Amino acid sequence: MTTFVITVPGTFISDITDSARSALERKLASQHTDVSKSEGLNLLTLNEDGTFSVRLEVDAPDRYEAELDATRLVSAALKEAGITEADAPLGPPAVTGINSDL
């Protein structure tokens, strides 16, 4: 298994409340571990134009599975935070870091 740092971009169609942001960060916190913290990466970055990016770690056998898992995790966290897919469409995920024992 390899640990991937995946960045999932998106856009909030309407303003996100502080409570929704906090809920989203809580839902994703378990995916923000040693690699991303040691690199100084923020879990959630919000831009003034409503765009955002989520950086999280995923253990997966390959890049493809890591990207799928990351997208599923972000989608589920958004939903649990009360943010619908229509209110926060996601863009294509990208691998932004890899940590392997190989």
Side-chain angles (χ1 to χ4, degrees), residues 10-94:
T11 303
F12 288 116
I13 302 303
S14 57
D15 289 336
I16 182 171
T17 65
D18 288 340
S19 62
R21 177 187 174 146
S22 294
L24 179 58
E25 288 177 327
R26 277 193 309 276
K27 301 293 182 195
L28 295 169
S30 66
Q31 300 304 127
H32 186 56
T33 58
D34 295 337
V35 175
S36 54
K37 287 179 185 174
S38 69
E39 295 298 319
L41 298 175
N42 292 325
L43 177 64
L44 175 63
T45 302
L46 293 174
N47 302 308
E48 291 181 18
D49 62 356
T51 60
F52 66 92
S53 58
V54 176
R55 288 171 200 81
L56 45 98
E57 290 182 32
V58 178
D59 290 323
D62 58 43
R63 174 186 168 172
Y64 177 75
E65 288 297 321
E67 290 174 344
L68 286 177
D69 288 348
T71 300
R72 280 191 286 261
L73 286 166
V74 172
S75 293
L78 286 165
K79 184 176 182 179
E80 289 177 33
I83 304 166
T84 67
E85 287 181 42
D87 289 334
L90 300 177

